[in-house]
């Protein structure tokens, strides 16, 4: 009987494992909330309920950062390597609203994705735990991050382009654009907004960096399989040792 995910994480990484699982679940909740608002065309910059939820999630991320900081043996090294997690845990939307800072709806939409950077790191860690070796864990982590980037880019592209771009009639068009762009094949949909054009360049560059990793991984699997087959046939063809025959003349 397989152990539960929380039990697995607790046994494997202790309190860090449980924290990463919780962070992953909270980030998944944010992804679902953003997706529902986007598909229903809800004005995201007026959703006070989402801002409250994101505030509590960011506070938990800050709590996780402080806790891991005090539990770390080398605190200076922890700050150097995890300082980005402190930046992405800050509830920027709530701070902007509290101080009545005027921003555009596009900036407000971008800020909703900031806490998901912390969740992406937790996702890569959890996927690495569940993989049977380091190579597979690294590959699955890269693939997961690539698909997540494509999905978030398609959401942003749809929000910014569907009102001004006649080629983006629905979310399916934005998703098609994102997948075609990341594969560097290109699609018939051209970005009109500045942000859309920037995303086009970013996705194309990401695809050129990520797909060679896929090629290397598949090549390593093929080489490993060939080596195993070679050893198997060598063992079959190897002559079996002859039994020793005692000399009848010897006493």
């Amino acid at each position: 009987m397989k152990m539960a995910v929380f039990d697995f994480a607790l046994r494997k990484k202790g309190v860090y494992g449980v924290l990463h699982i919780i962070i992953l679940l909270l980030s998944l909740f944010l992804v679902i909330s953003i997706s529902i608002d986007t598909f229903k065309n809800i004005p995201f910059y007026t959703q006070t309920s989402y801002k409250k939820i994101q505030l509590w999630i960011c506070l938990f991320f800050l709590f996780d950062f402080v806790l891991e900081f005090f539990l770390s043996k080398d605190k200076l090294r922890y700050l150097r390597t995890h300082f980005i997690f402190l930046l992405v845990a800050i509830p920027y939307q709530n701070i902007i609203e509290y101080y009545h800072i005027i921003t555009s709806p596009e900036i407000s939409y971008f800020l909703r994705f900031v806490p998901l950077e912390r969740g992406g790191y937790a996702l890569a860690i959890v996927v690495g735990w569940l993989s049977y070796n380091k190579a597979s864990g690294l590959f699955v982590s890269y693939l997961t991050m690539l698909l997540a980037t494509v999905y978030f880019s398609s959401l942003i592209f749809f929000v910014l382009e569907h009102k001004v771009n006649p080629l983006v009639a629905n979310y399916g068009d934005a998703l098609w654009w994102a997948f075609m762009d990341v594969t560097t094949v290109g699609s018939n949909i051209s970005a009109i907004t500045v942000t859309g054009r920037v995303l086009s360049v970013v996705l194309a560059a990401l695809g050129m960096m990520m797909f060679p990793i896929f090629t290397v991984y598949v090549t390593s699997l093929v080489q490993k399989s060939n080596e195993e087959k070679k050893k198997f046939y060598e063992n079959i063809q190897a002559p079996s040792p002859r039994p020793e025959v005692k000399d009848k003349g010897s006493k």
Side-chain angles (χ1 to χ4, degrees):
M1 186 175 182
K2 295 182 179 180
M3 71 178 84
V5 176
F6 275 94
D7 187 31
F8 170 79
L10 184 59
R11 293 186 183 183
K12 191 173 183 70
K13 293 292 182 180
V15 66
Y16 296 104
V18 175
L19 287 174
H20 286 139
I21 293 293
I22 295 176
I23 290 172
L24 182 58
L25 294 178
L26 292 176
S27 301
L28 182 61
F29 177 78
L30 289 178
V31 172
I32 295 174
S33 300
I34 293 173
S35 301
I36 292 175
D37 289 356
T38 302
F39 298 151
K40 292 185 177 181
N41 200 23
I42 297 176
F44 44 83
Y45 47 89
T46 61
Q47 293 296 306
T48 56
S49 58
Y50 177 83
K51 293 178 181 179
K52 292 180 180 179
I53 294 172
Q54 191 182 58
L55 172 63
W56 286 106
I57 291 178
C58 287
L59 291 177
F60 180 82
F61 289 173
L62 290 173
F63 166 76
D64 169 70
F65 177 85
V66 174
L67 179 61
E68 291 190 14
F69 171 75
F70 283 106
L71 292 178
S72 63
K73 296 180 180 180
D74 190 348
K75 292 180 172 52
L76 184 60
R77 182 176 181 275
Y78 180 85
L79 283 177
R80 290 199 308 267
T81 56
H82 294 76
F83 184 72
I84 184 65
F85 299 147
L86 174 63
L87 297 180
V88 299
I90 298 174
Y92 295 103
Q93 275 192 316
N94 302 90
I95 294 174
I96 290 174
E97 183 180 13
Y98 181 80
Y99 288 102
H100 303 288
I101 301 174
I102 299 175
T103 59
S104 64
E106 289 78 11
I107 294 178
S108 179
Y109 188 73
F110 277 118
L111 292 177
R112 297 181 69 175
F113 289 91
V114 172
L116 296 179
E117 298 292 332
R118 185 69 181 87
Y121 177 74
L123 177 62
I125 292 178
V126 173
V127 169
W129 293 345
L130 301 177
S131 302
Y132 62 90
N133 59 43
K134 292 183 178 180
S136 297
L138 182 62
F139 170 71
V140 175
S141 298
Y142 275 128
L143 182 61
T144 304
M145 297 301 293
L146 176 63
L147 293 177
T149 303
V150 170
Y151 179 67
F152 295 147
S153 298
S154 66
L155 287 178
I156 297 172
F157 188 81
F158 173 69
V159 169
L160 299 179
E161 293 279 336
H162 81 282
K163 294 181 179 180
V164 297
N165 195 336
L167 297 177
V168 185
N170 50 53
Y171 172 72
D173 295 333
L175 187 62
W176 166 260
W177 163 86
F179 273 109
M180 289 297 98
D181 211 54
V182 80
T183 57
T184 67
V185 175
S187 66
N188 61 323
I189 301 175
S190 300
I192 294 179
T193 62
V194 176
T195 305
R197 293 173 180 174
V198 172
L199 286 176
S200 300
V201 177
V202 171
L203 280 180
L206 183 64
M208 288 187 291
M209 290 187 295
M210 297 296 289
F211 279 101
I213 296 177
F214 175 78
T215 305
V216 171
Y217 178 72
V218 173
T219 303
S220 65
L221 289 181
V222 173
Q223 291 177 346
K224 184 178 179 180
S225 177
N226 291 336
E227 291 177 359
E228 291 177 353
K229 289 181 180 179
K230 184 178 180 180
K231 291 180 181 179
F232 175 76
Y233 288 120
E234 287 178 352
N235 293 332
I236 293 179
Q237 296 175 359
S240 58
R242 295 182 178 179
E244 295 182 1
V245 180
K246 293 183 179 180
D247 189 0
K248 295 181 179 180
S250 60
K251 293 183 180 181

